[in-house]
Amino acid sequence: MELKKLRFLFLFPVVMSSAGHLLFAETFRTSKLYCAAIEQEPGFETQTILGTNESLAIKLPQKRNFIEGIEIKFDIPEDIAYWQDCVACSVYNKISPAPSEDVIDYSATRAFVSTLPCRLSWVLQIPLKETNLLKENQYTSLMKAVDFEDGVIFIRLQPVMKGVPEETLNSKIKATIKPILSDKGELFIQLYTGGNKKLENCTVYVDDNLVTLPKNNTILLEKGVHDISVTSAAYRNEIRTVRIDQAKTTDIKIEMKSIEPAIFVTAPEGTSIFLDDKPFKNLGKENIISEGEHKIRFTIGDYEITRTLSVIKGKTYKINCSVDLQIVEE
């Protein structure tokens, strides 16, 4: 077994960057290339079958702000597992030309390399962010974060040991690829006023914590239920409850209403209404009203009812006049 490892190291001279990354600037040929596209969706996964001298190009989504990394699970045939260290898996970035199933010759920078272990499955996790929650264990290999600036992760399998039977090298390896998503989602907050009025300064709190809205009005939050409150000296306070789903964007629109008090009046058809002894016609809509004492009077035929209300800023008063008919059987 030591002889096999010596052969592997001889085939792959190691060059390290100052940051500790493996750097192999090289050109190579792959016998066949498969392409797969990853989506930023919970539960998404895709599969492909690779030969021991074939490659896989994983295209990342343009928007991947929720993706912590990519996980690839290799199902290793018994023949390859028996011949430990006979097949290597390499991860490349800065691939050229753009990967295509019609192209087999490439130039790229190698960011990671490892032989397939002596077991029937192996998980490789590829972080996309320097700060992440991914953990390595006895079943999972975790490579260092690399900037896949062109949006493509290139995976290459290749035999690295002499004397391996031909039937072993003809084995097929199933690769299951899926995104590793953070437990967060986004909240897009749109504040607006009626009548195309300019929006004054507002203060936003999430779960009683002050937040500063970025230019795109989008906040990253843990999944679950959150309380949103918006305060301003120019508008009424607004409170909403929203549910944030993993790797989803939740939109919320909040109309900032004037701090001026208003009344909302409803009454049966044929009712005459007087506000401060002046006819009032604008039913079923909010009407701005001044602060202080006001008198409202409803007249239906010979029946009349009058009420007085004390109006203060930031309140809407709903006033409903209704006629009720009761029948009692004795």
Side-chain angles (χ1 to χ4, degrees):
M1 200 62 66
E2 287 300 321
L3 179 60
K4 295 175 185 177
K5 293 181 180 178
L6 287 173
R7 287 176 180 170
F8 170 74
L9 292 173
F10 176 79
L11 288 173
F12 294 99
V14 178
V15 180
M16 303 292 292
S17 72
S18 59
H21 292 265
L22 290 167
L23 296 178
F24 292 84
E26 60 181 85
T27 59
F28 58 86
R29 171 172 291 184
T30 184
S31 63
K32 190 171 184 179
L33 176 70
Y34 298 88
C35 295
I38 288 291
E39 295 182 13
Q40 186 172 252
E41 293 289 341
F44 175 88
E45 69 174 35
T46 185
Q47 295 180 340
T48 190
I49 304 295
L50 298 173
T52 59
N53 195 29
E54 296 177 344
S55 299
L56 169 66
I58 303 172
K59 184 174 177 56
L60 302 173
Q62 186 172 4
K63 185 176 181 181
R64 47 183 182 268
N65 51 323
F66 299 124
I67 301 181
E68 295 270 309
I70 301 297
E71 178 179 291
I72 308 173
K73 179 187 176 185
F74 295 94
D75 291 333
I76 304 171
E78 289 186 12
D79 287 350
I80 293 178
Y82 175 79
W83 286 87
Q84 184 180 2
D85 297 338
C86 70
V87 176
C89 173
S90 300
V91 180
Y92 295 88
N93 68 337
K94 301 178 181 178
I95 190 77
S96 178
S100 168
E101 294 179 354
D102 299 326
V103 179
I104 59 174
D105 293 313
Y106 294 96
S107 174
T109 299
R110 188 184 307 216
F112 173 85
V113 62
S114 175
T115 51
L116 299 186
C118 183
R119 56 175 184 263
L120 299 182
S121 68
W122 176 55
V123 175
L124 173 63
Q125 292 187 343
I126 306 172
L128 300 184
K129 302 175 181 178
E130 287 287 348
T131 303
N132 58 76
L133 300 177
L134 307 186
K135 300 294 184 182
E136 189 168 20
N137 56 48
Q138 58 180 331
Y139 304 107
T140 301
S141 294
L142 176 63
M143 61 175 283
K144 292 185 177 181
V146 175
D147 183 10
F148 296 95
E149 55 189 24
D150 55 1
V152 176
I153 300 174
F154 197 96
I155 309 295
R156 179 190 179 199
L157 298 181
Q158 65 181 130
V160 292
M161 184 189 300
K162 295 181 179 180
V164 180
E166 189 70 21
E167 58 269 22
T168 298
L169 296 180
N170 289 334
S171 299
K172 298 294 183 180
I173 300 170
K174 183 172 77 172
T176 303
I177 310 106
K178 65 179 182 180
I180 304 171
L181 302 176
S182 68
D183 284 336
K184 295 184 178 182
E186 284 183 337
L187 176 65
F188 174 76
I189 301 179
Q190 181 180 351
L191 305 178
Y192 69 99
T193 60
N196 296 321
K197 295 180 180 179
K198 182 180 178 181
L199 183 68
E200 302 291 338
N201 290 334
C202 298
T203 303
V204 179
Y205 294 87
V206 177
D207 300 328
D208 296 326
N209 296 314
L210 176 65
V211 298
T212 301
L213 286 180
K215 290 184 179 180
N216 61 1
N217 291 338
T218 301
I219 308 171
L220 192 65
L221 297 173
E222 299 288 340
K223 67 178 182 180
V225 177
H226 297 272
D227 294 322
I228 312 299
S229 60
V230 185
T231 63
S232 172
Y235 308 103
R236 304 182 192 186
N237 295 343
E238 300 289 341
I239 299 175
R240 302 288 188 275
T241 299
V242 297
R243 176 178 293 277
I244 301 298
D245 295 321
Q246 182 185 27
K248 299 286 186 181
T249 298
T250 301
D251 295 348
I252 181 172
K253 295 183 178 181
I254 301 178
E255 181 181 2
M256 302 306 297
K257 298 179 180 179
S258 171
I259 201 171
E260 295 178 287
I263 58 172
F264 186 94
V265 181
T266 56
E269 186 176 354
T271 304
S272 298
I273 304 170
F274 299 87
L275 178 63
D276 296 330
D277 295 325
K278 296 180 180 179
F280 182 88
K281 302 291 185 181
N282 201 14
L283 299 181
K285 298 180 181 179
E286 282 194 2
N287 298 267
I288 301 300
I289 192 172
S290 61
E291 289 185 89
E293 296 288 325
H294 293 272
K295 182 176 70 174
I296 189 164
R297 175 163 50 95
F298 296 85
T299 301
I300 306 175
D302 295 332
Y303 179 77
E304 181 178 287
I305 185 170
T306 301
R307 293 287 185 269
T308 299
L309 64 153
S310 298
V311 175
I312 61 175
K313 278 186 178 181
K315 300 290 184 179
T316 295
Y317 299 86
K318 294 184 178 180
I319 304 170
N320 176 45
C321 177
S322 61
V323 177
D324 190 20
L325 175 65
Q326 293 184 344
I327 299 177
V328 178
E329 181 179 352
E330 295 183 351

